[in-house]
Amino acid sequence: MTDNTNNKAEDTKSLNFIEHIIEEDIREGKHEGRIHTRFPPEPNGYLHIGHAKAFCLDFGLAEQYGGKCNLRFDDTNPAREDVEYVDAIKEDIQWLGFEWEDREYYASDYFGELYHYAEKLIRKEKAYVCHLSAKEISDNRGTPTEPGKDSPYRNRSVEENLELFAKMKAGDFQDDTCTLRAKVDMTSPNMHMRDPILYRIRHIAHHRTGNEWCIYPMYDWAHGQSDSIEGITHSLCTLEFEVHRPLYEWFIAELGIFPSRQIEFARLNLSYTIMSKRKLLQLVENGQVSGWDDPRMPTLSGLRRRGYTSDSIKNFVNTIGIAKRNNVIDVALLEFAVREDLNKKAPRVMAVLDPIKLIIDNYPDDLVEELETINNPEDESMGVRTMPFCKEIYIERNDFMEDPPKKFFRLAPGREVRLKSAYFVTAQSFEKDENGNITVVHCTYDPDTKSGSATVTRKVKGTLHWVSAKHALDAEVRQYDRLFMDSDPDGHKDKDFMEFLNPDSLTIIKGCKMEPSLSSARYPDHFQFQRLGYFNCDKDSTETNPVFNRTVPLRDTWKQKK
Ligand code: ATP
Ligand code: MG
C-alpha cells in the first residue's frame, strides 16, 4: 500500500461512489495503489459544460489521490475531426487549471498496436472478416428479445482471416465492402456482444496519420484498448456506456492486457440548453450563433467569453456532485455559481444602459469633483477609486418617472434621491421632445449631503447610479437571454430542438454611458455594473467601440418574468 490514503477526502461520509471505489482499491493495494485516469474527448467539437463535469472528475480524482490523468484525444473518426478542436479542447482544460504534463495522447497513436491486437484475436478465432453490408449486419443482429443470426463468414479459417484483414489494411478493398468483427455471441441478451464491428474501411485522410491507414477502429475497440495501453486504472465515463462494459471486459480478458476498470456516472444535463456536440455544431453552421464561443452557447469557450470564471464553473461542478442516475440540473444553479464568485471578485462600477440627462441647475458650471468610491464592499483590499462628477450627468431613463406611484423610490418631480457616492438631488422639472419623450431632467443638489462628509442626516429611500456626461465612455452592451425557450429543447419526440430557439436571446444596446475608468477594460475583465448585473469586457471590444457582455443579472430575473 502507498501513502495515497493520506490525501483522501477528509470526511469519509461525503465520499461519492467513485471515491469509495478508489479508496477501497487503494486499501486493497490494487495496482500498487496507483490511480491513473484519463479524459478522452473526441476532437469533433468544442467542449461544453457537461465535459467540464467529466474532466473535473478525471483530473480532480487524480489530484486528490496523488495520481495522474492523461488527456487522450479519441480521434478514430477522421471524417468529423479537426485540429481546431484539439487546440480548443486543450485551452478549455487549461482554463480550468488542469495539467496533463507530457501525457497528451491520441488514440491514433495506437493504430499500430490495435492492429496487432486484432490479429491476436483473429489467431484466437475471436475475430473474423465479414462481407455482410451494414444493412445485412443490422438485419441479422436480432432484437433485445430475439437472438441474432450468425454471419455466413463467421467460421472462416484463421489464415483466411489474417490474409483478408491484411488486404483490408493494404487498401485492396473499397469502403464498406467488409469489416472486421469480434466473434462473441450472436445470442447474447446484450446487443453490444453480438459480434460487434472492430474495423471499417474508410479511404479518408486522418488529421494525424494522413493516408497511412484506410481501416479505422470503432469506438469500443479503440477506447478500451487505449485505456489498457496507458495503464489506466479507473476509466470513468457516462452512463450510456454501461451496456458496453461487458464488451470492454471481454476484450481485456481475451487479449490478456492491463485490466482497466470502467466506471459509469450520470451525464450533466442542464435546463434550457442542449449538450450534444452534433447539435451545437448545427447552431454554429446554420449561423444561429456567431460561433462555438458565442456567449449564449453552453460551451466552455462560450461561457468564458460570456464572463463566467473558471472558479464558478468548478464550484458549480462540485456542487452538483456525482450520481449514478441521470437528472436535469436547473441552469439557475450555474448562474448562481457565477454570481457568487463575481460578487467576491468583480469591482463595482457605474454604467448607464438607457441614459437620460440630469442637469443639476445649482451646481457650478465648470466644476469637476473627483469623488471617491469603493471598489468592492465585499473585499476592502480592492481599494477605492475616484469618479468625476459635474453639472451634467446621465441616469437610467427608468429611474425617473413623471407621474410615479407612491412606492416608486427613485426620482420624480419633487422627490429626493441619493446619487451613489455623490450628493442628494431633488428633481425640479423636465423637458420633452416633440414625441413626448423626456429628454432632460432638471434637479437641484444639496451640497451638505456629500458622500462621506455629510452633515445632513435625513434619509432618502432610493440610491441611483450615474455617470458624468462630459467624461462618459460610450460603449455597446450585449444582453443575453436563454438560447432556448423550452426547459428541455432536446426532449420532444415530435419537435426539433431548433423550434425552441429564443428569437430574442441577444439584445445589442448601443450608446451606453460608462464611467471613464472602464476605458482601460480588456477582455475578459469582469465588473459589477451597479444595480444592473455582472458584465465583462468582450473580446470584440476596441478602444473606439468598447463592448461589454452581460454575464448575469444581479438576481434571477427569469423567474420574475414568467
Ligand atoms: P457529445 O454527445 O456532446 O458529442 P460525447 O460523449 O460524444 O458528447 P466525447 O468527446 O466523447 O463527447 O466526450 C468525452 C467525455 O466527456 C466522455 O467520457 C463523455 O462520457 C463525457 N461527457 C460528454 N458529455 C457529458 C455530459 N453531458 N456530462 C458529463 N460527461 C460528459
Ligand atoms: Mg463520445
Side-chain angles (χ1 to χ4, degrees):
M1 211 194 295
T2 70
D3 60 357
N4 286 352
T5 37
N6 294 344
N7 295 333
K8 71 179 182 185
E10 273 163 25
D11 178 8
T12 36
K13 276 188 216 108
S14 67
L15 294 185
N16 65 45
F17 79 98
I18 299 177
E19 291 167 327
H20 272 294
I21 292 173
I22 288 180
E23 296 206 356
E24 172 99 34
D25 287 347
I26 291 172
R27 263 196 303 277
E28 290 176 357
K30 199 171 171 184
H31 312 305
E32 297 78 47
R34 191 170 61 81
I35 302 301
H36 204 149
T37 57
R38 89 287 168 263
F39 175 61
E42 187 181 348
N44 62 348
Y46 282 56
L47 296 183
H48 52 59
I49 179 90
H51 293 114
K53 171 172 170 172
F55 74 72
C56 285
L57 189 65
D58 296 323
F59 283 96
L61 286 171
E63 253 170 34
Q64 191 178 327
Y65 292 101
K68 288 182 175 147
C69 179
N70 296 354
L71 170 61
R72 183 200 316 140
F73 290 98
D74 208 334
D75 57 348
T76 52
N77 187 350
R80 295 188 308 193
E81 295 159 4
D82 199 284
V83 277
E84 176 199 346
Y85 299 135
V86 169
D87 295 339
I89 288 170
K90 291 200 276 191
E91 186 181 351
D92 287 344
I93 300 173
Q94 279 168 333
W95 180 49
L96 288 205
F98 296 113
E99 262 310 325
W100 51 90
E101 297 162 338
D102 56 350
R103 295 181 311 281
E104 176 180 329
Y105 301 129
Y106 292 80
S108 56
D109 295 339
Y110 309 136
F111 282 174
E113 244 158 317
L114 292 171
Y115 183 80
H116 292 305
Y117 284 156
E119 288 180 321
K120 188 169 175 183
L121 281 190
I122 293 176
R123 281 196 200 94
K124 288 188 74 182
E125 299 190 44
K126 295 291 181 185
Y128 60 97
V129 174
C130 180
H131 294 274
L132 292 181
S133 67
K135 176 159 189 322
E136 287 164 329
I137 291 181
S138 130
D139 290 347
N140 281 352
R141 241 176 128 218
T143 66
T145 51
E146 279 168 72
K149 280 199 231 86
D150 282 0
S151 159
Y153 304 100
R154 201 168 194 262
N155 293 315
R156 284 186 146 141
S157 70
V158 169
E159 289 66 36
E160 195 184 357
N161 276 317
L162 284 174
E163 195 186 313
L164 286 169
F165 187 44
K167 283 188 167 171
M168 280 174 66
K169 174 178 185 274
D172 292 357
F173 300 122
Q174 302 281 307
D175 283 8
D176 298 321
T177 48
C178 54
T179 55
L180 184 76
R181 296 176 69 183
K183 194 168 172 179
V184 192
D185 179 3
M186 289 304 291
T187 65
S188 171
N190 182 333
M191 302 282 285
H192 296 278
M193 300 297 271
R194 295 186 185 173
D195 290 11
I197 296 173
L198 306 185
Y199 280 95
R200 63 222 185 311
I201 303 174
R202 289 278 179 280
H203 288 269
I204 359 181
H206 183 281
H207 72 103
R208 282 176 68 86
T209 58
N211 291 313
E212 194 184 339
W213 295 88
C214 63
I215 55 170
Y216 288 101
M218 300 298 286
Y219 173 87
D220 280 320
W221 175 243
H223 189 85
Q225 281 42 262
S226 304
D227 282 346
S228 290
I229 291 169
E230 293 175 12
I232 299 304
T233 56
H234 299 81
S235 175
L236 313 177
C237 60
T238 35
L239 278 180
E240 66 271 24
F241 294 105
E242 194 171 6
V243 284
H244 297 241
R245 190 175 356 117
L247 183 59
Y248 184 98
E249 291 172 352
W250 187 88
F251 287 138
I252 287 175
E254 291 298 336
L255 294 169
I257 51 179
F258 181 82
S260 302
R261 174 173 176 187
Q262 177 180 304
I263 302 167
E264 308 85 17
F265 62 93
R267 294 175 80 81
L268 166 63
N269 299 304
L270 209 53
S271 62
Y272 292 98
T273 190
I274 53 171
M275 288 280 188
S276 147
K277 277 186 280 186
R278 189 174 54 78
K279 289 176 182 166
L280 293 172
L281 176 66
Q282 232 174 300
L283 293 174
V284 173
E285 286 182 337
N286 292 352
Q288 263 106 4
V289 293
S290 63
W292 283 97
D293 71 346
D294 186 296
R296 294 163 291 179
M297 291 280 269
T299 52
L300 293 176
S301 49
L303 290 165
R304 177 165 65 237
R305 181 163 170 195
R306 169 87 170 249
Y308 275 74
T309 55
S310 58
D311 281 349
S312 68
I313 289 175
K314 277 171 131 174
N315 291 343
F316 167 73
V317 165
N318 288 335
T319 310
I320 56 176
I322 299 300
K324 276 198 230 186
R325 206 165 292 165
N326 281 321
N327 59 351
V328 180
I329 304 290
D330 190 340
V331 67
L333 212 59
L334 178 64
E335 292 168 351
F336 174 78
V338 73
R339 249 182 231 121
E340 203 179 43
D341 193 43
L342 290 176
N343 181 40
K344 286 182 269 173
K345 295 177 183 164
R348 276 54 173 166
V349 292
M350 295 203 221
V352 177
L353 304 196
D354 184 11
I356 178 176
K357 198 171 256 185
L358 187 74
I359 300 178
I360 307 164
D361 291 329
N362 61 337
Y363 194 84
D365 283 350
D366 298 321
L367 181 62
V368 178
E369 283 184 272
E370 287 291 337
L371 300 179
E372 192 171 277
T373 184
I374 181 165
N375 285 329
N376 188 347
E378 299 289 320
D379 181 356
E380 279 185 12
S381 74
M382 287 172 72
V384 294
R385 70 181 186 292
T386 60
M387 282 181 64
F389 183 82
C390 56
K391 190 179 180 82
E392 294 193 4
I393 62 174
Y394 289 110
I395 62 167
E396 297 286 349
R397 180 169 294 278
N398 68 8
D399 276 338
F400 177 80
M401 269 182 99
E402 180 181 351
D403 190 14
K406 237 186 163 166
K407 290 257 149 121
F408 184 79
F409 296 124
R410 291 169 273 167
L411 205 55
R415 294 200 191 170
E416 186 172 52
V417 295
R418 173 190 288 111
L419 294 175
K420 170 84 182 158
S421 302
Y423 297 94
F424 289 10
V425 292
T426 305
Q428 305 295 350
S429 62
F430 51 89
E431 296 169 25
K432 280 185 178 174
D433 64 15
E434 62 277 14
N435 302 318
N437 296 319
I438 294 170
T439 50
V440 176
V441 175
H442 289 269
C443 66
T444 51
Y445 86 118
D446 178 349
D448 294 334
T449 57
K450 185 170 177 175
S451 172
S453 59
T455 49
V456 173
T457 54
R458 71 177 178 273
K459 293 230 158 63
V460 284
K461 282 214 163 126
T463 301
L464 308 188
H465 61 278
W466 52 274
V467 169
S468 158
K470 200 162 30 180
H471 305 89
L473 174 74
D474 275 301
E476 174 180 324
V477 162
R478 299 177 184 169
Q479 289 200 147
Y480 305 99
D481 203 338
R482 308 230 153 123
L483 189 51
F484 294 98
M485 295 178 293
D486 190 87
S487 68
D488 185 11
D490 215 0
H492 299 262
K493 279 202 190 77
D494 50 335
K495 284 187 177 155
D496 189 65
F497 71 99
M498 289 280 190
E499 289 184 40
F500 300 102
L501 272 174
N502 177 2
D504 301 317
S505 58
L506 168 63
T507 311
I508 295 179
I509 313 172
K510 300 213 186 234
C512 301
K513 302 288 181 184
M514 312 214 163
E515 67 167 81
S517 74
L518 281 167
S519 63
S520 61
R522 296 290 175 267
Y523 175 71
D525 292 350
H526 306 275
F527 302 95
Q528 186 197 91
F529 288 181
Q530 287 192 304
R531 298 175 66 222
L532 300 176
Y534 293 99
F535 291 73
N536 81 323
C537 186
D538 187 72
K539 72 168 196 191
D540 284 349
S541 197
T542 61
E543 220 150 275
T544 47
N545 185 39
V547 179
F548 294 86
N549 299 309
R550 187 174 72 180
T551 310
V552 274
L554 284 181
R555 272 170 294 280
D556 189 353
T557 49
W558 182 263
K559 275 195 189 124
Q560 294 160 14
K561 234 192 275 177
K562 279 199 173 165

